[in-house]
């Protein structure tokens, strides 16, 4: 019995030394001092205006006319931090401008030759002036990103004319219009 007790004590002592040495071998502590974290700034300008208060107008557009709006977006912040830019094209005026007899008749209005204007309220006139241009304007979008030396570093085509996406398709027919 004494031999068994002595053996158990020796085995326990050896196990304690082995486990203690293993724990010491796998543990380590490092100290880092004098670190500084600095947040950069993001300050967006559009066509060198900050804040941007410009607008774009596509005037006298007719079927099959093509016009593009190009603008430059810069991060004028202290560092070149990555920035996500979101753009919303908002059609604020969808007026017909000058009306014509074919347009009036196509929309089921009654053309009044005496004043050369479409009448929507006379008897037999069941149409309304349909100026939903945003459903007809084909939308395309191409993005290019340049570095400080004006070298193109990234580009992507999001929509092309051949996709046939209208403003309503991209932004939804129910987006807020003024």
């Amino acid at each position: 019995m004494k031999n068994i007790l002595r053996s158990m004590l020796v085995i326990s002592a050896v196990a304690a030394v082995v486990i203690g040495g293993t724990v010491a071998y796998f543990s380590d502590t490092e100290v880092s001092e004098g670190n500084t974290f600095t947040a950069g700034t993001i300050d967006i300008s559009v066509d060198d205006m900050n804040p941007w208060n410009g607008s774009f107008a596509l005037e006298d557009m007719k079927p099959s006319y093509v016009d593009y709006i190009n603008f430059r977006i810069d991060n004028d912040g202290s560092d070149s931090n990555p920035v996500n830019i979101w753009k919303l094209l908002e059609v604020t005026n969808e007026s017909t401008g000058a009306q014509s007899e074919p347009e009036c008749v196509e929309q089921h209005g009654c053309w009044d030759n005496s004043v050369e204007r479409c009448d929507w309220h006379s008897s037999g006139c069941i149409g309304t002036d349909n100026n939903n241009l945003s459903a007809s304007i084909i939308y395309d979008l191409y993005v290019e990103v340049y570095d400080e030396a004006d070298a193109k570093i990234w580009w992507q085509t999001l929509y092309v004319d051949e996709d046939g996406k209208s403003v309503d398709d991209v932004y939804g027919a129910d987006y807020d219009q003024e």
Side-chain angles (χ1 to χ4, degrees), residues 44-55:
I44 302 298
S45 67
V46 177
D47 289 339
D48 294 323
M49 288 188 282
N50 187 353
W52 184 73
N53 56 6
S55 63

Side-chain angles (χ1 to χ4, degrees), residues 15-170:
V17 169
V18 170
I19 290 173
T22 304
V23 169
Y25 183 75
F26 286 117
S27 66
D28 189 17
T29 303
E30 297 294 334
V31 176
S32 177
E33 297 176 1
N35 297 312
T36 303
F37 294 92
T38 305
T41 59
I42 296 173
D43 190 14
I44 302 298
S45 67
V46 177
D47 289 339
D48 294 323
M49 288 188 282
N50 187 353
W52 184 73
N53 56 6
S55 63
F56 294 99
L58 302 177
E59 297 178 1
D60 196 24
M61 296 298 292
K62 296 174 179 63
S64 300
Y65 276 29
V66 174
D67 201 351
Y68 291 95
I69 300 169
N70 294 307
F71 48 92
R72 182 179 176 107
I73 300 172
D74 290 306
N75 178 8
D76 297 329
S78 62
D79 298 316
S80 57
N81 291 319
V83 178
N84 289 328
I85 303 290
W86 297 93
K87 175 189 73 63
L88 171 65
L89 177 66
E90 184 174 36
V91 178
T92 58
N93 184 352
E94 293 188 325
S95 68
T96 305
Q99 292 182 330
S100 66
E101 182 178 5
E103 178 184 23
C104 176
V105 171
E106 174 66 26
Q107 296 179 70
H108 305 289
C110 298
W111 184 253
D112 186 343
N113 277 323
S114 64
V115 291
E116 293 192 5
R117 186 179 59 199
C118 195
D119 185 354
W120 304 104
H121 306 294
S122 296
S123 95
C125 302
I126 58 171
T128 58
D129 195 8
N130 182 6
N131 293 319
N132 189 7
L133 299 176
S134 55
S136 301
I137 297 172
I138 301 300
Y139 181 89
D140 65 359
L141 179 62
Y142 182 78
V143 177
E144 297 175 346
V145 177
Y146 295 84
D147 65 11
E148 294 81 19
D150 275 345
K152 189 174 9 177
I153 58 174
W154 182 84
W155 59 94
Q156 182 175 5
T157 301
L158 300 171
Y159 299 105
V160 294
D161 288 345
E162 291 78 26
D163 293 337
K165 297 283 187 185
S166 72
V167 172
D168 280 355
D169 291 334
V170 174

